[in-house]
Amino acid sequence: MSDVSPAAPAAAALFEFPCAFPLKIMGRADAALAQAVLDVVLRYDAAFDGATMEMRASSGGKYVSLTCTITATSRPQLDALYRELTAHPLVKVVL
């Protein structure tokens, strides 16, 4: 019996690598959040231009969302990036 679910190959086939892949990262409004996210993203896409990061505050100003469109080169790259971002203490959600 295989450890890979039947949906895994189908999900991997949804992307044709390399591709532009937008990530939305949400966390508390903290001055260190954008730099922390940038540091992580650059480990997985060294060519990412931090000036292209979009930032939007919530209506109450308590939270902020960051959008980073990276060049995704593989499913393992995306999986590792998601794991590292979601494990960061300043990050609440990654979509």
Side-chain angles (χ1 to χ4, degrees), residues 24-30 33-34 54-58 61-66 90 93:
K24 183 161 282 211
I25 302 101
M26 291 169 258
R28 284 198 171 275
D30 185 311
L33 178 64
E54 298 173 28
M55 186 181 300
R56 178 172 290 156
S58 66
K62 188 174 180 179
Y63 296 95
V64 66
S65 72
L66 303 169
L90 294 175
V93 177

Side-chain angles (χ1 to χ4, degrees), residues 3 20-21 26 30 47 52 64 70 73:
D3 290 338
F21 192 89
M26 291 169 258
D30 185 311
T52 65
V64 66
I70 67 156
T73 57

